[in-house]
Amino acid sequence: MAADEKTQAKTEQAKGKMKEMAGLTVGNERLVAEGRGEQAKGDARQAKEKIKDTLTD
């Protein structure tokens, strides 16, 4: 399960970065904000998994 969560975190970060870049390219501020939000969500998920790994070791 933890590997699945880590993969999902990386996927969210990548999708967010792509959305942000697309938004910057076309000048769409809403898309940039959505991308940054997805990246933050992925970062939070990744941090949660690192904490869980630290506590279980």
Side-chain angles (χ1 to χ4, degrees), residues 6-50:
K6 289 178 184 177
T7 303
Q8 191 172 5
K10 291 289 184 186
T11 302
E12 284 177 343
Q13 290 169 335
K15 275 179 42 179
K17 190 68 172 171
M18 289 182 353
K19 273 188 180 180
E20 181 182 6
M21 287 296 116
L24 288 172
T25 301
V26 297
N28 186 332
E29 291 182 22
R30 185 183 60 82
L31 196 57
V32 172
E34 282 181 20
R36 288 183 181 160
E38 281 189 30
Q39 287 180 62
K41 188 176 173 185
D43 291 343
R45 186 183 304 269
Q46 187 176 29
K48 179 186 80 167
E49 288 304 311
K50 284 184 180 182

